[in-house]
Amino acid sequence: ERMNGAKAKQAGLVKRPWGDQGASDEERSALLQVMLRLLDEELFRTLLEDHNWRIREALILALPTLLEAQGPDLFKGIVAEGFFQGLTDKVAAVRSAASRGFKYLLLHLGSDVLLQQAMPKLEDLRLHPNYAHRTSMLEALEGLCGTDAPSEVMEEVGRLLMLLTKDPVANVRVACA
């Protein structure tokens, strides 16, 4: 007798690599090894657009390690796209993963690249109509505050925070406080 996918999963015959609880460190490491071998823009974009948010989250969580392994040139293309697409994802866990990973941009790329390439994108998010995306931006800025960021970066973070204290949505203003 043939079994459809839902019945097979229910019977325990099909197990997704990330299960229902999210990816473990071991699973993320395995995904990273596969990505390092097969990394190209088409695969990366396919994973970023996967319907399973856990795949998108695992990819976003692997980005800092990819940056460390492949070097800063990787940021110019697909990694930058991944971080910023993650900040505007429809699932809060993916947005949070991108926000938490933002501090690694400073660590792996340096303040010049962060100020020239990443901060303008965050500035664009400040005007996004979806307030959840603006709060993701705040979480990314918060991550930068926890690093030993140079004064130029901290000045830009402070400027963006001051602008967000005047946001029309109370949740954003509260998150700034």
Side-chain angles (χ1 to χ4, degrees):
E1 175 184 335
R2 248 181 126 210
M3 207 182 273
N4 69 22
K7 285 183 182 177
K9 184 178 176 188
Q10 188 177 27
L13 300 174
V14 176
K15 185 176 179 189
R16 291 191 324 210
W18 283 275
D20 294 326
Q21 304 301 316
S24 69
D25 289 340
E26 183 178 299
E27 291 164 334
R28 286 188 187 113
S29 177
L31 175 63
L32 175 63
Q33 293 308 313
V34 169
M35 288 174 58
L36 286 174
R37 288 190 191 103
L38 303 173
L39 186 66
D40 68 1
E41 287 193 38
E42 184 178 342
L43 171 65
F44 192 85
R45 283 193 176 85
T46 299
L47 292 172
L48 273 178
E49 295 168 3
D50 196 281
H51 73 280
N52 184 340
W53 67 267
R54 288 178 182 91
I55 298 290
R56 297 191 311 271
E57 179 190 32
L59 178 64
I60 298 292
L61 290 170
L63 290 179
T65 308
L66 283 171
L67 267 176
E68 187 176 13
Q70 297 289 347
D73 290 338
L74 186 64
F75 182 74
K76 293 177 182 152
I78 55 179
V79 172
E81 180 182 335
F83 267 111
F84 294 110
Q85 191 169 333
L87 286 172
T88 59
D89 197 272
K90 62 186 174 190
V91 176
V94 178
R95 291 193 308 270
S96 182
S99 297
R100 288 189 320 266
F102 206 78
K103 65 183 171 190
Y104 295 105
L105 294 181
L106 177 64
L107 296 173
H108 295 302
L109 301 174
S111 60
D112 290 340
V113 172
L114 183 75
L115 287 168
Q116 294 169 3
Q117 296 180 24
M119 293 306 261
K121 297 257 188 189
L122 283 181
E123 173 98 30
D124 292 344
L125 276 180
R126 181 182 66 81
L127 303 172
H128 198 283
N130 186 332
Y131 87 91
H133 298 175
R134 297 193 303 274
T135 55
S136 293
M137 175 193 142
L138 281 169
E139 192 177 340
L141 292 174
E142 180 184 352
L144 290 175
C145 291
T147 62
D148 291 329
S151 61
E152 303 87 33
V153 171
M154 294 311 297
E155 286 173 16
E156 185 64 13
V157 167
R159 186 184 73 75
L160 289 174
L161 286 173
M162 288 303 295
L163 291 170
L164 285 168
T165 61
K166 296 171 179 71
D167 195 274
V169 175
N171 288 3
V172 176
R173 293 191 308 270
V174 168
C176 282

